[in-house]
Amino acid sequence: MMKPMKKLMLFTLCAALALALAACGGKDGQAGSGSGSAAGSGSASQGSAAIANPFTDCGTLDEAAQLAGFPLEAPDTVPGGSERQVRAAEGSMIEVIWSAEDGAEVLRARKGAGTGDVSGDYNNYGETATAVIDGLEATLKGDGGKVCLAVWTDGGHAFSLSAPAGLTAEEMSALVEAVK
């Protein structure tokens, strides 16, 4: 037979578990359900919460610099990227996204205030190397001989280049030199 204190503890744990499950369940019974685009679009789908999109679309890098409070130099085009989108988060970051004709992302460049990783890329890559490029020490990450991510700092700013399909080390190095 259980003692009263053990019964109370068991009841409390069961109640906490029931509340946690109820809080995590989505409208359709799926935890955290919602559209994949809600987190980046600034709108929440019904039954889920989303983080507001901090970026504002900008027509030019100069417009983005006004919003972010610092400039970014980036090429107009990149290999395989025919479209360029420039965005900025007020006082903190500039982002440039190059896409192929079919809309697939080719490359994403970011420059942010501070020295922390601004890439937003939390993948585990099998290959990591450090390279000195144009006098800057960059960390290159990827798989299968392709570089998917480059991160570096220069003074009070952090930089990243993300290439979902991967680039050669030479291609990524040339882009690190071009993004300032």
Side-chain angles (χ1 to χ4, degrees):
M1 180 173 257
M2 278 199 201
K3 294 182 180 181
M5 185 61 139
K6 285 187 179 180
K7 284 183 181 179
L8 180 61
M9 237 164 113
L10 181 61
F11 174 76
T12 303
L13 288 173
C14 288
L17 180 61
L19 287 173
L21 289 174
C24 291
K27 183 176 180 180
D28 298 326
Q30 296 174 333
S33 68
S35 71
S37 63
S41 67
S43 64
S45 62
Q46 189 175 24
S48 69
I51 297 172
N53 184 350
F55 290 103
T56 300
D57 288 337
C58 300
T60 64
L61 286 171
D62 288 337
E63 186 181 329
Q66 290 290 324
L67 192 59
F70 51 83
L72 171 69
E73 293 179 33
D76 290 330
T77 60
V78 297
S82 60
E83 299 287 326
R84 183 175 94 161
Q85 179 185 15
V86 178
R87 310 181 328 165
E90 188 172 355
S92 65
M93 187 181 298
I94 298 175
E95 175 177 79
V96 181
I97 303 168
W98 292 269
S99 301
E101 288 182 15
D102 65 359
E105 184 175 321
V106 174
L107 184 73
R108 180 180 303 247
R110 285 183 170 179
K111 178 180 181 179
T115 57
D117 185 345
V118 295
S119 71
D121 184 341
Y122 304 107
N123 292 310
N124 291 318
Y125 293 104
E127 300 166 7
T128 300
T130 302
V132 176
I133 303 167
D134 200 23
L136 301 168
E137 187 173 296
T139 300
L140 308 177
K141 298 180 181 184
D143 288 307
K146 294 284 189 174
V147 180
C148 299
L149 178 65
V151 293
W152 71 98
T153 60
D154 183 10
H157 295 98
F159 295 82
S160 71
L161 289 171
S162 303
L167 300 170
T168 66
E170 293 78 21
E171 291 170 326
M172 187 63 85
S173 294
L175 289 165
V176 168
E177 289 179 6
V179 174
K180 300 179 186 307

